[in-house]
Amino acid sequence: MPKNQNTFSSLTTLRRRVAGRIAHGVWRWMRQAGAVTDRTTGGLRFGAIGEGTRLAFPQGTVFGEPWIRLGACCIIAEQVTLTAGMLPGLDLGTEPVLVLGDGVVLGRDSHVIADAPITIGNNTFCGPGVYITSTNHSYDDPHEPIGRQWPRSEPVEIGPGCWLGTGAVILPGARLGRNVVVAAGSVVRGEVPDHAVVAGAPARIVRRWTEETGWQPPLRTPPPVPIPDGMTSGQLRALAEFAEAEQRAADAEQHAADAEQAVADAEQAVAEAQGAAAGQDAAAGAERQRTADAAAAGRSG
C-alpha cells in the first residue's frame, strides 16, 4: 500500500476517534444539563416536585404539569411520558390529576397517561416499558371508527411498595393494594388485594400473603438476608472477601477430595486389571495343561 494512503487511513481513524470522544462527551453533558430536578425544572412547571427527584434526559412527552405532583426522591428514567388531561393546555380544575408518592421509580420508556386521576403510592417501582392509563378506547358504535369514539375514563390507584414488572399494563379502574407484585407483561384491571402476586393477561392472583396463612402457595426460595443496620462499606467489602476466601477453601477441599477419589478409582482399576490378567494367565495355563495331557494320551495310545 502506498505511504500516502496509509497516512490518509491513519488520519481518518484519528478523526473518528476524536469525533467519537467529542460526541460522547457532549452527550454526557446534555444528559447532565437536561435532567429535570426540583432545582432545575427546565421550563416544566409541575404542581409539585419533591427534593431529590430527577427526570432523566431526554424526557418523553410531558404536558399538564400544573396538575402533576411528584414526591421526593423519585427516579424517572429516560423517555418516560407523564401527561395530565387529554390534550395540552386544558384547564383541569384545582385538584391534581397525577400524583406520584415519595421514592417512586419509573423505568425507561414507561407511560403514565392520566385523563382521570392516577395515584401511585410511596416506594412503588416500575420496570421499563410499564403503561399506566386511566383512559381506554370505547367501541360501542360498530359503525364508527374506534379511534373517533369518546373514550372511557376511570381513576387508577396503585398502593405503596408495589413492583410492576417490565411491560406491565395497568388499565382504567385498577386498584392495587400495598406491596403488590405485577409480573412482567401482565394486563391488570379491577381490584388487587394487599400482598398479592398477579400474572397473565388478564392478570390473576397466583400467590398471596396473609397473616393467618403466610404465603400461599409457599415460596420456593429462602428469603434474602438483609444487610444489618449500621454496616459500613468497608465491612461489606471485608465480608465479601471473607466469603470469597471461604468459597475458595471449599473449592480447594472439593478438588482435593475429587483428586483422592480419582486416585482410588485408578487403584481400583489397576487392581481389577491385575485380577483380570491373573485370570487370563490361569486360563492359559489350564489350556496348556489340557493340551499336554491330550498329547500324552495320544502317545500312550
Side-chain angles (χ1 to χ4, degrees):
M1 183 179 291
K3 183 177 181 180
N4 61 347
Q5 190 169 353
N6 284 333
T7 303
F8 178 78
S9 177
S10 299
L11 289 174
T12 301
T13 301
L14 179 60
R15 290 193 189 99
R16 287 177 177 173
R17 288 178 180 174
V18 172
R21 290 179 181 177
I22 293 174
H24 284 288
V26 170
W27 180 245
R28 284 193 295 268
W29 178 85
M30 290 176 63
R31 292 182 65 187
Q32 184 67 28
V36 172
T37 68
D38 59 312
R39 298 181 180 180
T40 56
T41 59
L44 297 176
R45 300 180 177 179
F46 289 104
I49 179 169
E51 183 179 1
T53 288
R54 182 184 181 91
L55 287 75
F57 177 86
Q59 291 88 37
T61 302
V62 179
F63 63 76
E65 309 97 279
W67 293 274
I68 299 175
R69 294 185 180 178
L70 309 177
C73 301
C74 295
I75 300 175
I76 300 174
E78 298 176 10
Q79 299 291 355
V80 170
T81 292
L82 299 172
T83 65
M86 286 189 179
L87 298 169
L90 299 179
D91 186 350
L92 304 178
T94 58
E95 297 299 319
V97 177
L98 171 56
V99 178
L100 271 61
D102 297 338
V104 171
V105 175
L106 298 177
R108 183 187 177 98
D109 296 322
S110 292
H111 293 66
V112 185
I113 311 298
D115 296 345
I118 293 179
T119 303
I120 301 178
N122 296 341
N123 300 311
T124 284
F125 285 28
C126 301
V130 170
Y131 193 91
I132 303 169
T133 180
S134 58
T135 298
N136 209 351
H137 292 285
S138 62
Y139 50 89
D140 301 67
D141 189 343
H143 307 294
E144 185 72 15
I146 293 172
R148 293 180 177 272
Q149 298 187 41
W150 195 254
R152 287 188 171 88
S153 297
E154 293 183 72
V156 172
E157 298 179 16
I158 299 175
C162 295
W163 164 249
L164 280 59
T166 300
V169 177
I170 311 300
L171 293 177
R175 297 179 61 188
L176 279 63
R178 174 185 295 272
N179 283 32
V180 168
V181 176
V182 178
S186 299
V187 180
V188 182
R189 62 178 303 171
E191 188 164 348
V192 180
D194 295 347
H195 307 292
V197 180
V198 297
R204 292 180 172 83
I205 297 175
V206 296
R207 179 173 278 121
R208 189 182 177 192
W209 180 91
T210 63
E211 291 186 359
E212 294 78 16
T213 63
W215 284 107
Q216 294 297 327
L219 297 175
R220 290 176 291 181
T221 56
V225 179
I227 298 174
D229 293 336
M231 179 168 281
T232 66
S233 58
Q235 291 172 328
L236 286 174
R237 283 195 299 271
L239 185 62
E241 291 171 357
F242 177 74
E244 290 177 358
E246 280 194 329
Q247 184 62 46
R248 286 194 296 269
D251 291 342
E253 289 180 359
Q254 184 63 44
H255 290 326
D258 292 342
E260 290 180 358
Q261 184 62 44
V263 170
D265 292 342
E267 291 177 347
Q268 179 67 27
V270 169
E272 291 176 355
Q274 291 175 343
Q280 291 176 355
D281 291 343
E287 183 62 27
R288 287 194 299 270
Q289 184 63 44
R290 285 194 297 271
T291 301
D293 292 345
R299 287 193 298 271
S300 61

